[in-house]
Amino acid sequence: MGERLRRSEVSSTEISYFDVGIVGLYIVATLLVGVYVGKRKKDTDDYFLAGRSLTWPVVGFSLYATNLSGASFIGLAGAGYSSGLAFYSHEWVPALVLIVFVVLFLPFYMRTGVTTLPEFLERRFDDRSRTVLSGFTIVTNVFIDCAIALYAGALVFQAFFPDMPLWLPILVMAVLTGVYTVFGGLKSVAVNDVIQAIVFIVGGAIVFFAALAAIPSWSAVQEAAPGGELGIFQPANDPEVPWPGVFTGLVVIGLYFWCTNQVIVQRTLGAKNLDHGRNGAIFGGFLKLTGIALMILPGCMALVLYPNLSNPDEAFPTLTLDLLPAGLRGVVLAAVLAGIMSTVAGVLNSASTLLTIDFVAKYRPHTSQRTLVAIGRATAAGVIAVATLWATQMHRFGTLFVYLQSVLSYLVPPIVAVFLFGLLWKRTTRQGAFWTMLCGLVVGAGGLLANEVYGLLEIQALYAAAILFAGSSLLLVAISLATEAPSDEEVRTYVWRPQLWRAESRELATKPWYVNYRLYAALLFVTTAAIVITFA
C-alpha cells in the first residue's frame, strides 16, 4: 500500500480557527474551574491535601491524568509505529503495581496521617532519610519532571504548528497551569484532572476510531507490525523493552512511581478515607489499561496508512491532520494540552508540598497555617518559573533529553529498596536506610553518566535498574544487620504483619461485597492478565 500522506506535506494552516477556538474555550474553562474550586483554602490540609476530601472517582482520574503527558500521544503512538505493542508494558505493569500499592503501601501512609512520603520515612527511620528523599524529589520535580513535561509538550505543539517558536508553548502552558495550581492547591488540581482525563480519553478515542475506520483490515495491521505480528513481549536483547526487563527493572520503576513518588501518591493521601484511596487507585489502574487503544494502536494502524514516514513521532500528528475534520482536531489538541497541564500541575503541587512541609514546617514549627499556605503558593510559582527557564534551554543539550527520560532507571532503585524493606522487614535500621539511599543515589548517578551519556558501559536501562535494586537491597541488609536493631515499639506501626491481613479480612467480612476493594483488585488483575495474554 502506498503512503497516503507525507507528513511534510501537512502544514500548520490545516489547524483551523475553529480548532483554535475550541482549544481557547477549553483553556478558559480550565482556569475558571481551577479558580472557583480553589477558593477559601486557608490551612495546609486544605491546600496541600484538598482537605482530605477527594472521592474515589476523583482520585482515580487524577492519578491517571497526572501520569499523562501531552507527549504520551506522540511518543507512544510513535512507539506503536516503530515497535508494535512493546511499549504497552509501560501501561499494564503500573496497573499491577497499583494492586501492590493499595494492599501494602497506602494503608500505612493513611493510618499515620502523613502529608508527605519523606515524612513517613522520618517516622519509620529518622530525619536524615526524610531530608535526602525530599531534597532529591524537589530537584527532580523542577529540573526533570516539570521541565521535561513543558519541553516535550512544546515539541508536540511544534508538530502541529511547525513555525511556532519553542519558547511560546512552554510559556503559555506554564502560565496556564501555574495560575490554578498556585491559587487553588490540590483540590483545584484534582478537579481539573478529572476534566483533563476525560478530554484526553475522548481525544484519544476519536483518533483511534478514525484510524480503525481508515485501515483496510485488522490483518493488515498485524502484517505491517515488526516481525509480522503484534506482540507485547520482545526478545531479551531488545534495546528498548526486553521481556526480562519488564519483570525486573520496569517493576522497580513502577514501584517508585506509583508507590513512593510524592507527585502520584499525594492524590491518594487527599482521599476521604482509606476505602476511597484504595478504590481510586484501582480505578486509575483500569484507566491505565486503555493506553493500548488510545495511544499505541493508533501508531500501529498509522504504519498501514503511512508506511514511509521519516520519523515515527509523526504518526499521531499525521493521523489527526489527515483523518479528522475541523473541530475534532481542536478536541484532540485540547487533549494534548490537557495531558501537559495535568502533569505540570501535579509536579508543582508536589514540590510546593515537600518544601513547605518537609523544610519550613519542620524547622519552623510555629509558623501559622496561613503563612505555610502562602509559602506553598510562592514555592509553586518559583518552581514553575525555574522549570520554564530550564525547559526553554533543553534543546541545547541535544540527545541529553533522551537520557533524562531514563533517569528513573538509575536513581530510584535505592529509594524503592528502602521503602520495601522498611515496610516488610522490621530489622531494617535507620543507618541502613540513610546510607543505602545516599550511596545508591551517588552510584546511580555515576551509572547514568557512564552508561547513557559517555557510553562506557552497555547495559540496557531496565537491566540497570534491576542490578541497582539488587545492589541496594544487599547494602541495606548488610548495614542493617551490622547496626543496632530498632525496638518492636518503634517500628510496630510501620511494618506489615500477617495479623494485619487477617484483621482486615474479618473487617471486610462484615461489609457488603461491593465495598470490598479486594474484589476490584482481583478484577483488575484478571483484566490485565487477559489483555496481556491476548497480545503476548
Side-chain angles (χ1 to χ4, degrees):
M1 178 182 297
E3 183 179 14
R4 289 181 46 178
L5 178 68
R6 293 290 305 206
R7 175 67 185 94
S8 59
E9 298 171 4
V10 179
S11 68
S12 61
T13 57
E14 293 191 63
I15 297 295
S16 68
Y17 290 113
F18 185 34
D19 297 316
V20 175
I22 290 175
V23 176
L25 287 174
Y26 172 74
I27 290 172
V28 171
T30 297
L31 293 177
L32 290 176
V33 170
V35 171
Y36 175 77
V37 172
K39 292 189 298 184
R40 293 190 291 274
K41 296 289 176 291
K42 296 182 180 179
D43 61 42
T44 54
D45 246 19
D46 275 338
Y47 188 76
F48 297 117
L49 292 180
R52 301 184 191 264
S53 64
L54 302 181
T55 58
W56 68 264
V58 176
V59 171
F61 275 122
S62 189
L63 286 172
Y64 177 67
T66 301
N67 175 235
L68 295 174
S69 165
S72 296
F73 279 135
I74 299 292
L76 288 178
Y81 188 93
S82 62
S83 306
L85 298 182
F87 276 82
Y88 184 56
S89 292
H90 289 270
E91 303 296 301
W92 67 263
V93 168
L96 298 184
V97 168
L98 281 167
I99 297 175
V100 178
F101 174 65
V102 301
V103 172
L104 177 60
F105 291 83
L106 185 58
F108 290 98
Y109 295 159
M110 297 201 71
R111 287 168 188 158
T112 52
V114 297
T115 302
T116 71
L117 300 188
E119 181 184 357
F120 179 81
L121 278 193
E122 180 180 39
R123 297 191 185 190
R124 174 62 178 88
F125 299 114
D126 59 21
D127 58 353
R128 297 177 303 168
S129 294
R130 178 179 186 174
T131 301
V132 170
L133 179 59
S134 190
F136 166 79
T137 307
I138 291 171
V139 171
T140 56
N141 279 172
V142 177
F143 292 102
I144 296 177
D145 299 330
C146 194
I148 281 183
L150 290 171
Y151 179 64
L155 293 179
V156 172
F157 275 91
Q158 276 197 330
F160 289 97
F161 303 95
D163 297 327
M164 179 181 291
L166 189 69
W167 63 266
L168 182 58
I170 290 175
L171 182 61
V172 170
M173 291 182 295
V175 171
L176 290 175
T177 310
V179 167
Y180 74 81
T181 306
V182 171
F183 184 81
L186 182 60
K187 188 65 174 288
S188 288
V189 172
V191 172
N192 263 314
D193 279 349
V194 174
I195 300 171
Q196 289 159 352
I198 293 172
V199 171
F200 192 93
I201 291 170
V202 170
I206 288 172
V207 175
F208 171 77
F209 285 111
L212 190 63
I215 59 174
S217 66
W218 186 251
S219 60
V221 178
Q222 294 174 310
E223 292 169 5
E229 61 179 347
L230 287 173
I232 292 175
F233 298 113
Q234 302 301 307
N237 61 353
D238 184 78
E240 295 176 326
V241 194
W243 73 262
V246 170
F247 296 100
T248 55
L250 193 56
V251 172
V252 172
I253 296 170
L255 286 170
Y256 167 77
F257 193 82
W258 294 97
C259 302
T260 70
N261 179 12
Q262 181 72 23
V263 176
I264 292 293
V265 176
Q266 192 159 333
R267 277 98 190 101
T268 55
L269 297 181
K272 291 177 66 173
N273 53 44
L274 180 57
D275 286 337
H276 278 279
R278 277 173 158 165
N279 290 331
I282 293 170
F283 178 46
F286 278 107
L287 292 175
K288 284 294 291 178
L289 295 179
T290 63
I292 192 170
L294 299 182
M295 291 173 279
I296 296 180
L297 283 178
C300 299
M301 291 186 279
L303 186 58
V304 176
L305 300 173
Y306 323 105
N308 299 315
L309 292 179
S310 59
N311 184 347
D313 287 344
E314 296 173 358
F316 185 80
T318 303
L319 287 169
T320 302
L321 294 171
D322 185 35
L323 301 181
L324 302 184
L328 288 184
R329 294 174 189 164
V331 174
V332 173
L333 281 174
V336 171
L337 184 62
I340 299 165
M341 293 174 71
S342 293
T343 301
V344 174
V347 173
L348 291 183
N349 192 245
S350 166
S352 65
T353 303
L354 290 168
L355 192 143
T356 305
I357 301 300
D358 288 339
F359 291 97
V360 178
K362 175 177 172 56
Y363 295 107
R364 301 182 70 90
H366 300 299
T367 305
S368 69
Q369 293 286 301
R370 188 179 295 272
T371 300
L372 288 175
V373 170
I375 292 172
R377 286 174 170 157
T379 300
V383 167
I384 193 63
V386 173
T388 300
L389 291 174
W390 180 241
T392 60
Q393 301 303 310
M394 290 189 75
H395 68 284
R396 298 180 182 274
F397 298 95
T399 54
L400 181 60
F401 170 63
V402 178
Y403 302 143
L404 288 175
Q405 292 179 308
S406 305
V407 71
L408 293 183
S409 298
Y410 296 89
L411 298 184
V412 304
I415 296 172
V416 175
V418 166
F419 271 93
L420 272 179
F421 278 84
L423 286 172
L424 295 174
W425 188 39
K426 68 179 183 180
R427 186 65 177 77
T428 310
T429 67
R430 62 191 64 184
Q431 299 290 349
F434 171 70
W435 288 107
T436 296
M437 278 205 296
L438 194 62
C439 296
L441 289 172
V442 172
V443 172
L448 176 65
L449 292 173
N451 198 29
E452 301 290 346
V453 177
Y454 295 112
L456 301 178
L457 303 172
E458 292 185 5
I459 303 175
Q460 205 278 336
L462 295 181
Y463 290 149
I467 293 170
L468 289 168
F469 175 75
S472 298
S473 300
L474 290 174
L475 179 63
L476 179 58
V477 170
I479 296 176
S480 293
L481 292 176
T483 53
E484 183 181 358
S487 66
D488 288 343
E489 291 74 19
E490 287 180 285
V491 301
R492 183 176 180 82
T493 307
Y494 312 106
V495 178
W496 185 86
R497 306 181 307 279
Q499 298 93 309
L500 295 175
W501 178 266
R502 292 192 289 267
E504 182 184 84
S505 299
R506 291 191 294 269
E507 180 185 352
L508 290 174
T510 66
K511 296 181 178 181
W513 65 268
Y514 53 83
V515 299
N516 188 336
Y517 83 93
R518 293 182 186 176
L519 176 65
Y520 303 117
L523 182 60
L524 176 58
F525 179 86
V526 171
T527 304
T528 304
I531 295 174
V532 172
I533 291 171
T534 299
F535 292 99

